[in-house]
Amino acid sequence: MSRLLITGGAGFIGANFVHYWIKKYPADRVVVLDALTYAGNPANLEPVGKHSEYRFVHGNIKDYDLAVNLLQEEEIDTIVHFAAESHVDRSIHGPDAFVDTNIIGTHTLLKAAKT
């Protein structure tokens, strides 16, 4: 049995991955971490909400303490990282959010995984 942390799991791609994984590997533990920004929609995950091995956490990958606690508490052995700013038109008007999430957030998640 695997224990997955899926970041950005409420977005379009992340939610589809969550549905796929739970259907194919129903015994695996699936923990979704999502900040629920413009791209994340909790309704995308409603069909799996009652699955016994599923947990949703509303939080940000830039939160080091949260990431460390989730990885340890859930005994995560696999990270699937979908959390990202990805809308090109938004990057033109607000590039700081892209650096913040895509670079700093990913770096924070990697540091947490090393703990």
Side-chain angles (χ1 to χ4, degrees), residues 92-115:
I92 295 165
H93 301 292
D96 292 350
F98 283 71
V99 171
D100 216 27
T101 299
N102 299 358
I103 297 171
I104 295 170
T106 299
H107 181 248
T108 302
L109 187 59
L110 288 168
K111 286 191 308 185
K114 285 179 53 180
T115 304

Side-chain angles (χ1 to χ4, degrees), residues 5 8 32 40 42 58 67 88 105 107:
L5 174 65
V32 172
H58 182 199
V88 175
H107 181 248

Side-chain angles (χ1 to χ4, degrees), residues 21-32:
W21 197 268
I22 287 175
K23 183 177 180 181
K24 185 153 178 107
Y25 306 100
D28 286 359
R29 178 71 169 160
V30 173
V31 179
V32 172

